[in-house]
Amino acid sequence: MRAVRDLESGGPEVLTVSDVPEPQLTADGVLIAVTAAGLNRADVLQRQGHYPVPPEATDVFGLEVSGTVLALGEQVPDRPGLAVGDPVVALVDSGGYAERVVAPWQQVLPLPDGVDPVEAAGLPEVAATVFSNVFMAASAREGETLLVHGGAGGIGTHAIQVARALGLTVIATVGSEEKAATVRELGATAVNYRNEDFVERVHELTDGRGADVVLDVVGAKYLDPNLRVVATNGRIVIIGMQGGAKGELNVGRLLQKRAAVIGTTLRARSAEEKATIMAAVGEYVWPLLTSGQVRPLVSRTFPLEQVREAHEYFDGGSHVGKVLLTV
């Protein structure tokens, strides 16, 4: 089958499509004919040599897919939406940039009603990331204010929609007026970090309280500003390091605000944790997709053979929403 393997580190030029053996169906696995795969920041970090594949996982890129069930392992339970021929989406440890992939059945969800099968490929990773961090780790509640950094990206656009649907006020940082228009359309207040101080602006918007929850993909560069912008008893969840891995923490301010700084990654979590997260996504997020309150936002799609061009486009940073590979 055709697939994109992790053979060497570097820029998009190291990516190539090659023929590889088909994955073997496991006892608890679901064999999926891939329709499309989502491109994520983790894929870029892996390509650059900074995000290693978990032990025993395939060296084929890709953490999320949409597709059709081809076969079920002997230990897969009888469950609605999980039969041969059913359209599904799946969160995988790796293997998504391929014609076929095997996913643990606990990480497979039915295609949400009314969602395009290609666009659905951009849901599993962002939905699991957003729900596990904003609502499970940070315990965001109706009536609170969420600050989302990188509001126009795949995670940001999904976080805005889910948070708004569940009763939160959302403020999102962006880097252009085009991206600001997008996040406003999704229901967030936009702050352009290129010409506004987001700490001052968030305090203005919240009457000095600050944000109850901060979802941060930047990392070290934003550590101190996040601590200044977060509300008393607030929670900062760091899920990325685009702005560096090491920063200085003002412990005095942290104690004064009784704030929490939480760092997480999704890929490194255990199978049990991922099963719990995907079950919660199915229970709370999938109905929002079916009702139309949340929708996938796709910037561009590329055929698998153009994986280099897809990564070049992603690296350019102009995308709004998800970038997808069709198989």
Side-chain angles (χ1 to χ4, degrees), residues 3-8 14-16 18-20 59-61 97:
V4 181
R5 298 177 61 195
D6 183 4
L7 299 176
E8 60 178 311
V14 304
L15 301 174
T16 185
S18 59
D19 289 326
V20 303
D59 63 0
V60 173
F61 281 90
Y97 289 18

Side-chain angles (χ1 to χ4, degrees), residues 192-204:
N192 189 332
Y193 62 81
R194 296 189 187 279
N195 53 36
E196 295 180 278
D197 183 318
F198 75 79
V199 176
E200 293 181 2
R201 186 68 179 127
V202 170
H203 280 295
E204 290 174 3

Side-chain angles (χ1 to χ4, degrees), residues 1-2 21-26 29-35 65-74 76 81-90 95 98-103 105 108-109 327:
M1 68 171 186
R2 295 176 302 142
E22 292 197 6
Q24 297 299 305
L25 182 61
T26 57
V30 180
L31 178 63
I32 299 169
V34 176
T35 298
V65 300
S66 62
T68 304
V69 176
L70 292 178
L72 302 171
E74 58 187 18
V76 177
L82 193 58
V84 173
D86 284 345
V88 294
V89 301
E99 292 182 301
R100 290 177 177 79
V101 68
V102 172
W105 70 265
V108 180
L109 292 174
V327 179

Side-chain angles (χ1 to χ4, degrees), residues 284-301:
Y284 295 104
V285 180
W286 252 227
L288 302 177
L289 287 154
T290 299
S291 69
Q293 292 174 271
V294 175
R295 59 184 175 86
L297 194 65
V298 176
S299 181
R300 282 188 64 181
T301 62

